[in-house]
Amino acid sequence: GDSGHSGGHGDGSPEAYAKMDADMLATFAAFPAKTEGVGGQLAVPRILEDGTKEFDITAKLAKWEVEPGVVVDAWTYNGTVPGPTIKVDIGDKIRVNFKNELPLNSDIHWHGIETPFGMDGVAPITQDPVKPGGDFTYEFTLDRAYQGMYHPHLHGQMTVPNGMWGVIQAGPTPIVQGRTIAGREVPADVKPVLDLPMVLNDAGVIGLSLNGKSFPATAPIVVNEGDWVSMTYYNEGLLAHPMHLHQFPQLVTARDGFPLDSPFWVDTLNVAPGERYTVMFQATQKGTWVFHCHILNHAERETGMFGMVTAVVVQ
């Protein structure tokens, strides 16, 4: 089996160590590797007569390439991991037509979103389980800013690690402008060039991953020198992950979608299961800067780098 989680070191022979060195360099050389499928694509709603934004979300089994050549039987929303990203304005009413094509009962829980009781998506408490082949319509109004997640509550211990999750956001991502924090100035005219979700997972068939992919198939964050980036972590895993960005301090602007009165700088941010943290950083120096979970066997194994690793590429 994979001894990367136990700090193994082969058979201790010079040949084994030489192979570990070669394998490690090979994984770096492969980044960024192409794989089938891109998750988290923006869902395009239908706009109903009363202004309601309507989305279709189908739970189904699908093949998903987590890393090059590693194709798993994922449990998905609309066939991708993460599922579609739902982004709407504050005050929008949404309708989500949920269809269950799984072999198991399911539901959708809107994690971190305040909804009417019957829309919380916790079968069998707030609704009947949605049976295989069945459907359910969720309707609620997003009356404030939110950065939430959606996932099954029923059988969540299996379905979520195996790929069923997505991002739901109302209103703009919280950013900080025109403030000096811990001696570091954030200009008043800051406008991040990217606003990224980074969904963390660590179990099931998806395993240690960022946005449903394992290094070297993770997507690099490519920007120009001086650019600002905004990013929100969403932890859909079973473990906490200390996320460490080399070189560029992260300014924590919001927790669970609530803007912070006192934003703070970190170079490593621990994100617990269920938490969302929004950060921003400025890419002040050219280079390829590594960005990874600092639990070391979440980023490296004997056969090379893998899992919760990407890079900020500053041109």
Side-chain angles (χ1 to χ4, degrees):
D2 173 18
S3 59
H5 289 270
S6 58
H9 47 80
D11 61 12
S13 68
E15 293 78 14
Y17 288 135
K19 184 174 188 322
M20 282 176 67
D21 276 338
D23 287 345
M24 182 62 76
L25 294 176
T27 56
F28 276 89
F31 178 77
K34 281 199 174 1
T35 46
E36 277 294 312
V38 178
Q41 297 294 293
L42 202 58
V44 179
R46 288 183 297 277
I47 311 296
L48 305 184
E49 278 186 22
D50 66 353
T52 296
K53 292 182 176 174
E54 185 177 51
F55 301 89
D56 296 326
I57 299 287
T58 300
K60 61 182 177 180
L61 302 174
K63 298 289 185 187
W64 187 252
E65 192 172 10
V66 178
E67 57 182 290
V70 178
V71 178
V72 301
D73 293 314
W75 295 57
T76 77
Y77 289 121
N78 291 15
T80 68
V81 183
T85 296
I86 296 174
K87 237 178 181 175
V88 296
D89 298 321
I90 297 169
D92 279 351
K93 181 180 178 185
I94 72 166
R95 175 183 296 168
V96 177
N97 302 314
F98 173 55
K99 188 164 183 217
N100 183 13
E101 293 181 1
L102 302 173
L104 200 62
N105 288 348
S106 197
D107 54 16
I108 300 179
H109 171 56
W110 308 95
H111 179 98
I113 308 291
E114 295 162 34
T115 69
F117 178 75
M119 296 290 128
D120 194 36
V122 184
I125 297 171
T126 67
Q127 66 177 92
D128 291 331
V130 183
K131 294 177 178 170
D135 54 63
F136 187 87
T137 300
Y138 294 93
E139 287 188 297
F140 48 89
T141 299
L142 293 149
D143 52 7
R144 66 168 177 85
Y146 284 106
Q147 284 174 291
M149 311 186 286
Y150 65 92
H151 53 228
H153 216 270
L154 196 62
H155 303 299
Q157 95 293 347
M158 183 191 77
T159 54
V160 176
N162 287 338
M164 290 183 73
W165 68 82
V167 167
I168 176 168
Q169 177 174 345
T173 301
I175 64 168
V176 168
Q177 295 175 307
R179 291 180 65 174
T180 300
I181 299 160
R184 287 179 169 267
E185 185 187 343
V186 183
D189 59 354
V190 163
K191 191 170 173 22
V193 298
L194 295 173
D195 179 24
L196 306 168
M198 184 167 289
V199 187
L200 315 177
N201 214 327
D202 49 49
V205 298
I206 305 302
L208 293 157
S209 57
L210 304 175
N211 291 332
K213 299 287 183 176
S214 171
F215 184 90
T218 47
I221 298 166
V222 182
V223 293
N224 294 320
E225 189 175 13
D227 283 348
W228 285 83
V229 173
S230 175
M231 182 173 58
T232 303
Y233 299 106
Y234 299 82
N235 190 345
E236 283 282 20
L238 306 182
L239 302 169
H241 296 286
M243 297 303 297
H244 175 55
L245 172 56
H246 289 215
Q247 190 67 20
F248 312 127
Q250 305 172 67
L251 179 61
V252 184
T253 63
R255 181 180 183 186
D256 294 340
F258 296 102
L260 298 179
D261 293 333
S262 301
F264 59 96
W265 294 97
V266 295
D267 67 44
T268 304
L269 181 66
N270 200 46
V271 188
E275 284 189 323
R276 291 91 63 210
Y277 275 102
T278 302
V279 301
M280 50 193 284
F281 64 87
Q282 186 179 24
T284 53
Q285 193 173 340
K286 288 181 181 175
T288 299
W289 302 99
V290 179
F291 186 14
H292 60 97
C293 173
H294 215 285
I295 298 172
L296 299 182
N297 58 7
H298 291 183
E300 292 181 297
R301 58 190 173 194
E302 275 186 42
T303 52
M305 189 161 273
F306 85 117
M308 307 184 79
V309 183
T310 185
V312 176
V313 179
V314 187
Q315 299 173 335

